[in-house]
């Protein structure tokens, strides 16, 4: 188990380095994308590697002449990566429509970079009507056509079905890992799930499917001695997490992250795609049904219901809201989600991050205060 | 200035009084709707209000309310209240001010009348979606979302089909919440009035192409209220007819809004509501007039896409293509046309912390304007309602410096 985990850890620590290697090894093309509403299933079906862009870990300089400071670190950091030439392994980029910032980033990106192609997938914002579903199918069909011309391939039904099967293997395995972590806290090192998720968004999906299934097998057979003091059961809720250090810090402060509601977490793993229906329609249907992101609308209360249900199901002692500063969709949802947790008597902590983390000492104190309170 | 002097000032636009009257009556009507057996709907500024008017529903605009809060300088208090409620300071200040206002019936008019239902059209931003979800939970009323896909270069056939389907869903929704059938003849009539009002509004704005400009963007910010809130009514048509006639008279009498107009500037983004006066005087002191802006023309800028004989469907497509729902390379076309039409010497961009869809991309736009048209841009970092993000001394220095380069 250790060797697979350390592989994921090294990939997550430096996805750019990994993808350069993988590109060389497999000869596959790479298509960058933002956000979990970009249909990476179609990129994989086109024989390319879908590569999720997480933003830079370095200072942001070049992006500052394109984006104001009141823009989230993901958008600014993503642009920085592109402008600095660190994404030159990519053929093109796939932009889904999520928030106002991503939507403008798409324009700025298209006008200031010279990747071979640029695809906007302007998905519906509502996910609860028939016309939205019809429109989503139209958008996905269009993405397919544009990927075909961008990559110079044709994507047959068979390829999409096969891709879907790979993704179903991946998501099934990921959910199993989530289950294992929840029932056996401490089985993985603190940031392992984070590393696995990041790896799963940048690796060749076929290879990832094999590795992650192997991991499930190993983990299921691993007995854990949990005699040590069990930590408080923590759930993290928010957008993307690019600071895996917090898992370790939390663990040292007496909190085990056992579940999450993150965009780079469970929301990506949620829901399989039907293999009985037309494949594009099936992809759309997963999007309509999976755990909803705050930039989309399923109902006025869907997110709070999902959060409280998950917290109860996983016997959560406390929730940490990990929000990226300047992220509007998440910031709007925070007060009502917190209220819903309060009503369910589940304590929560708001933790807002900019591109840089606060000093470790300060973090530790905050986490310790929180876990002590639980 | 005393009132007396104001009244005798030939530069003062006379229609202002009538506008205040209409808006006062409108808000009284909205606040007493319940007693009069009328329904109230809250709707976003870019949303299709025409079906509401046709159904005899009183439309209420939280954004217009936000602007009033800003103009009356009540923004900071309310924004802080929202922050206490857990809403981040980085969120749109219209939303923050308005969400807080509802809980205390505060603000300039003691809070907005409670909605019977909500209509949210995201052609202006994703913020309104989240904001209206908050409102829908708070008042526990139905919410209709009109989802207008963002236009990156081209409004696709699929998007067109989607918005047209939603217009039908919208009418159905209205029939349900109002408990009556929509009357197609009445709808046609409202559509016709809406188009006429938009035409007249554009005519008013066009007057500023004359040198010297008889009206400035700062005046347009004020006179905009009706085209946003009550387009589709005869009253609005009459009002803009009067305003337009007044503009013709001003042109005939060579009345300039800025006394010694020498420099003509274009404004981008929402107004800085609590400082419109200060800004306008500041620029006037440099003999500069802000002759036009990208904001107030949003309510008539898509007129060419509306087909009066097929109002509802063409409206849906047109409203999806408003200035803020299109990509930067489409915006630059509009900007270029405006710069040319109004013969602008410079561009003033309000980088508005509150409004990301309007503000992100401004740096690129300003470079495109410099390169393609050769006029300079001044970027002012501020916020439309939250005065805490406005630094007077800094902005004054920047304006002075910018004007010096223009004069050089
Ligand atoms: S949803 Fe939030 S984190 Fe994601 S790009 Fe938009 S503002 Fe940034
Ligand atoms: S100011 Fe901008 S973010 Fe706020 S409601 Fe208006 S368009 Fe949306």
């Amino acid at each position: 188990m250790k060797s697979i985990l350390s592989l994921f850890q090294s990939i997550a620590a430096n996805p750019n380095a990994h993808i350069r290697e993988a590109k060389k090894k497999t000869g596959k093309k790479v298509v960058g994308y933002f956000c979990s509403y970009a249909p990476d299933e179609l990129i994989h079906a086109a024989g390319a590697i879908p590569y999720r862009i997480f933003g830079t870990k370095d200072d942001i300089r070049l992006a500052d002449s394109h984006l104001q400071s009141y823009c989230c670190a993901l958008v600014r950091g993503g642009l920085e990566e592109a402008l600095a030439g660190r994404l030159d392994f990519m053929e093109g980029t796939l932009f889904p429509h999520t928030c106002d910032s991503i939507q403008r980033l798409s324009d700025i990106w298209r006008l200031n970079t010279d990747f071979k192609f640029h695809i906007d997938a302007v998905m519906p914002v509502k996910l609860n009507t028939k016309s939205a579903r019809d429109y989503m199918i139209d958008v996905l069909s269009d993405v397919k056509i544009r990927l075909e011309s961008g990559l110079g391939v044709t994507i047959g039904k068979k390829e999409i079905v096969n891709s879907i099967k790979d993704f179903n293997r991946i998501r099934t395995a990921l959910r199993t890992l989530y289950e294992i972590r929840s029932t056996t806290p401490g089985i993985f090192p603190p940031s392992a799930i984070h590393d696995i998720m990041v790896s799963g968004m940048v690796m060749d999906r076929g290879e990832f499917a094999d590795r992650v299934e192997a991991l499930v097998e190993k983990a299921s057979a691993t007995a854990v001695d949990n005699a040590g003091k069990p930590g408080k059961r923590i759930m993290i809720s928010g957008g993307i997490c690019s600071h895996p250090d917090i898992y370790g810090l939390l663990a040292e402060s007496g909190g085990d992250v056992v579940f999450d509601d993150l965009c780079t977490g469970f929301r990506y793993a949620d829901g399989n795609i039907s293999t009985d229906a037309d494949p594009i329609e099936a992809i759309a249907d997963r999007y309509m049904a999976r755990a909803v992101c705050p930039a989309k609308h399923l109902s006025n209360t869907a997110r709070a219901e999902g959060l409280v249900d998950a917290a109860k199901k996983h016997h959560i002692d406390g929730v940490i809201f990990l929000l990226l500063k300047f992220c509007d969709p998440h910031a709007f949802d925070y007060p009502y989600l917190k209220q819903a947790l309060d009503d369910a008597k589940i304590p929560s902590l708001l933790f807002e991050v900019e591109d840089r983390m606060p000093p470790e000492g300060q973090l530790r104190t905050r986490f310790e205060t929180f876990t002590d309170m639980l | 200035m005393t009132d007396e002097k104001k009244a005798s000032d030939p530069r003062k636009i006379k229609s202002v009084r009538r506008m205040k009257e209409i808006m006062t009556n409108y808000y009284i009507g909205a606040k007493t709707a319940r007693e009069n057996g009328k329904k109230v709907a809250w709707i976003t500024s870019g949303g299709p209000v025409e079906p509401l008017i046709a159904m005899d529903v009183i439309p209420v605009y939280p954004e217009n309310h936000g602007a009033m809060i800003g103009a009356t300088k009540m923004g900071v208090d309310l924004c802080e209240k929202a922050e206490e409620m857990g809403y981040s300071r980085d969120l749109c200040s219209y939303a923050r001010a308005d969400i807080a206002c509802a809980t205390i019936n505060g603000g300039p008019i003691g809070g907005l009348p409670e909605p019977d239902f909500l209509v949210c059209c995201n052609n202006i931003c994703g913020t309104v979606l989240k904001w209206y979800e908050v409102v829908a939970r708070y008042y526990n009323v139905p919410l209709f979302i009109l989802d207008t896909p963002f236009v990156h270069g081209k409004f696709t056939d699929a998007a067109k089909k989607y918005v047209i389907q939603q217009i039908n869903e919208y009418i159905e929704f209205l029939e349900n919440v109002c408990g009556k059938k929509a009357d197609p003849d009445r709808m046609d009539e409202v559509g016709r009035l809406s188009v006429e009002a938009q035409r007249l509004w554009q005519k008013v704005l066009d007057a500023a192409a004359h040198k010297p400009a008889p009206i400035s963007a700062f005046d347009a910010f004020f006179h905009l209220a009706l085209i946003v809130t009550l387009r589709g009514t005869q009253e609005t048509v009459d009002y803009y007819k009067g305003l337009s006639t007044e503009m013709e008279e001003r042109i005939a009498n060579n009345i300039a809004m800025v006394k010694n107009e020498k420099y003509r500037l274009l404004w981008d983004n929402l107004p800085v509501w609590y400082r419109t006066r200060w800004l306008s005087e500041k620029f006037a002191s440099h003999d500069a007039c802000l002759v036009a802006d990208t904001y107030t023309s949003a309510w008539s800028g898509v007129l060419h896409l509306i087909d009066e004989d097929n109002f509802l469907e063409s409206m849906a497509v047109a409203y999806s293509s408003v200035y803020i729902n299109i990509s930067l390379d489409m915006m630059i076309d509009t900007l270029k046309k405006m710069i040319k039409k109004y013969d602008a010497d410079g561009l003033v961009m309000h980088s508005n912390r509150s409004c990301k869809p309007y503000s992100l991309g401004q740096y690129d736009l300003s470079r495109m304007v410099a390169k393609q048209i050769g006029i300079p841009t001044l970027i002012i970092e501020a916020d439309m309602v939250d005065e805490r993000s406005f630094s007077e001394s800094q902005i004054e220095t920047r304006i002075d410096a910018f004007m010096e380069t223009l004069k050089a």
Side-chain angles (χ1 to χ4, degrees), chain B residues 63 92 94 124-125 127-128 131 270 324 354-355 357 384:
Chain B
E63 289 156 80
C92 166
Y94 276 176
I124 47 172
C125 61
T127 279
V128 288
W131 177 4
L270 277 79
I324 190 175
S354 266
C355 190
M384 62 206 177

Side-chain angles (χ1 to χ4, degrees), chain A residues 65-66 68 70 100 103-104 107 110 112 120 124-126 131 135 138 294 297 300 325 328 333 336, chain B residues 90 126 130 133 137 145 147 150 152 161 165-166 169 324 326 328-329 351 356-357 359-360 364 367:
Chain A
S65 60
H66 298 274
Q68 286 93 328
Y70 48 86
D100 296 331
Q103 159 186 300
R104 281 292 170 225
D107 295 341
R110 180 165 47 84
N112 293 284
D120 284 302
V125 163
K126 313 191 264 196
S131 58
Y135 175 61
D138 286 339
H297 177 88
N300 296 330
K325 192 162 167 61
D328 292 348
D333 270 1
Y336 111 92
Chain B
D90 303 321
K130 301 311 294 175
E133 286 175 354
R137 285 190 296 265
I145 297 164
D147 182 12
F150 190 84
H152 288 286
K161 191 178 91 194
Q165 273 168 344
Q166 290 178 82
E169 293 164 15
I324 190 175
I326 56 175
L328 294 176
D329 38 346
S351 164
K356 296 183 177 82
S359 305
L360 303 183
D364 280 83
R367 277 191 295 267

Side-chain angles (χ1 to χ4, degrees), chain A residues 63-72 75 97 100-101 103-104 106-108 110-112 120 122-126 129-135 138-139 142 293-301 303 325-336 350 352, chain B residues 85-88 90-92 95 99 122 125-127 129-131 133-134 136-137 141 143-147 149-150 152-153 156 158-159 161-162 165-166 169 323-329 331 351-353 355-364 367-368 381:
Chain A
D64 279 343
S65 60
H66 298 274
L67 290 164
Q68 286 93 328
S69 56
Y70 48 86
C71 174
C72 81
V75 164
H97 175 100
D100 296 331
S101 306
Q103 159 186 300
R104 281 292 170 225
S106 167
D107 295 341
I108 295 172
R110 180 165 47 84
L111 297 169
N112 293 284
D120 284 302
V122 191
M123 294 270 199
V125 163
K126 313 191 264 196
T129 64
K130 185 184 170 300
S131 58
R133 178 182 180 270
D134 291 345
Y135 175 61
D138 286 339
V139 172
D142 181 58
C293 139
K296 302 274 175 216
H297 177 88
L298 191 58
S299 80
N300 296 330
T301 50
R303 282 202 73 217
K325 192 162 167 61
F326 304 116
C327 171
D328 292 348
H330 279 284
F332 265 111
D333 270 1
Y334 165 70
Y336 111 92
L350 172 61
E352 204 182 44
Chain B
M85 292 163 73
Y87 293 96
S88 157
D90 303 321
L91 292 171
C92 166
I99 288 169
N122 60 1
C125 61
T127 279
L129 172 74
K130 301 311 294 175
W131 177 4
E133 286 175 354
V134 172
R137 285 190 296 265
V141 289
L143 163 65
F144 182 80
I145 297 164
L146 183 68
D147 182 12
F150 190 84
H152 288 286
T156 62
K161 191 178 91 194
Y162 178 41
Q165 273 168 344
Q166 290 178 82
E169 293 164 15
Y323 186 67
I324 190 175
N325 205 44
I326 56 175
S327 55
L328 294 176
D329 38 346
M331 287 174 126
S351 164
N352 180 358
R353 283 185 81 88
C355 190
K356 296 183 177 82
Y358 217 144
S359 305
L360 303 183
Q362 278 177 324
Y363 294 174
D364 280 83
R367 277 191 295 267
M368 287 189 248
E381 299 283 344

Side-chain angles (χ1 to χ4, degrees), chain B residues 57-312:
Chain B
V57 173
I58 300 189
V60 164
Y61 289 78
E63 289 156 80
N64 178 259
H65 185 224
M68 283 199 287
I69 291 172
T72 50
K73 302 193 179 14
M74 298 171 104
V76 174
D77 268 3
L78 289 168
C79 285
E80 281 173 349
K81 168 102 183 74
E83 287 150 32
E84 278 162 33
M85 292 163 73
Y87 293 96
S88 157
R89 185 173 162 177
D90 303 321
L91 292 171
C92 166
S93 52
Y94 276 176
R96 267 181 295 147
D98 194 70
I99 288 169
C101 203
T103 63
I104 51 171
N105 283 332
I109 57 163
L112 288 177
E114 281 187 28
D116 293 289
F117 59 93
L118 309 167
V119 180
C120 170
C121 177
N122 60 1
N123 60 345
I124 47 172
C125 61
T127 279
V128 288
L129 172 74
K130 301 311 294 175
W131 177 4
Y132 274 58
E133 286 175 354
V134 172
V135 178
R137 285 190 296 265
Y138 184 76
Y139 290 106
N140 194 19
V141 289
L143 163 65
F144 182 80
I145 297 164
L146 183 68
D147 182 12
T148 48
F150 190 84
V151 188
H152 288 286
K154 180 174 171 276
F155 196 60
T156 62
D157 288 341
K160 190 168 165 183
K161 191 178 91 194
Y162 178 41
V163 294
I164 289 174
Q165 273 168 344
Q166 290 178 82
I167 284 296
N168 298 329
E169 293 164 15
Y170 180 28
I171 303 295
E172 231 170 79
F173 170 85
L174 290 181
E175 290 181 334
N176 274 331
V177 287
C178 297
K180 64 178 180 195
K181 281 268 154 225
D183 172 355
D185 293 339
R186 176 87 180 103
M187 196 56 250
D188 283 349
E189 167 73 6
V190 172
R192 201 183 52 70
L193 289 169
S194 168
V195 171
E196 199 178 339
Q198 292 181 53
R199 226 172 254 143
L200 286 162
W201 175 239
Q202 189 59 54
K203 205 170 154 204
V204 169
L205 298 175
D206 285 350
H210 183 268
K211 287 181 187 173
I215 181 172
S216 78
F218 294 106
D219 305 295
F221 295 153
F222 174 79
H223 292 276
L224 168 76
L226 288 188
I227 197 70
V228 179
T229 51
L230 292 171
R231 62 181 185 277
T233 64
Q234 185 64 45
E235 202 176 22
T236 299
V237 168
D238 294 343
Y239 176 76
Y240 287 119
K241 254 188 206 149
L243 184 59
S244 169
T245 310
E246 200 183 336
M247 288 307 128
E248 280 161 17
E249 287 165 8
R250 289 167 74 93
I251 290 176
N253 297 325
N254 216 24
I255 299 176
M257 200 32 112
V258 167
K259 227 195 307 166
N260 303 308
E261 177 191 301
K262 276 207 201 90
Y263 306 99
R264 298 166 62 83
L265 306 174
L266 191 72
W267 175 273
D268 181 57
N269 212 307
L270 277 79
V272 181
W273 287 113
Y274 46 89
R275 281 304 165 87
T276 44
R277 177 82 170 263
W278 183 84
L279 281 164
S280 118
E281 285 170 1
K282 181 75 216 164
F283 280 107
S285 75
H286 285 288
D287 301 331
C289 179
L290 286 150
V291 289
D293 68 281
T294 56
Y295 174 66
T296 53
S297 51
W299 283 268
S300 49
V302 290
L303 199 50
H304 60 284
L305 296 172
I306 299 183
D307 169 7
E308 271 174 271
D309 296 328
N310 182 11
F311 180 75
L312 279 181

Side-chain angles (χ1 to χ4, degrees), chain A residues 174-213:
Chain A
L174 290 174
R175 290 195 304 273
T176 312
L177 291 176
Y178 266 88
E179 265 322 301
I180 294 175
R181 176 175 68 168
S182 176
T183 49
T184 335
I187 179 166
F188 305 124
S191 66
I193 293 276
H194 167 269
D195 297 339
I196 296 165
M197 295 310 295
V198 170
S199 302
M201 294 174 203
V202 299
M203 279 175 78
D204 176 46
R205 300 302 194 266
E207 189 193 342
F208 180 70
D210 294 343
R211 301 265 183 190
V212 79
E213 280 181 344

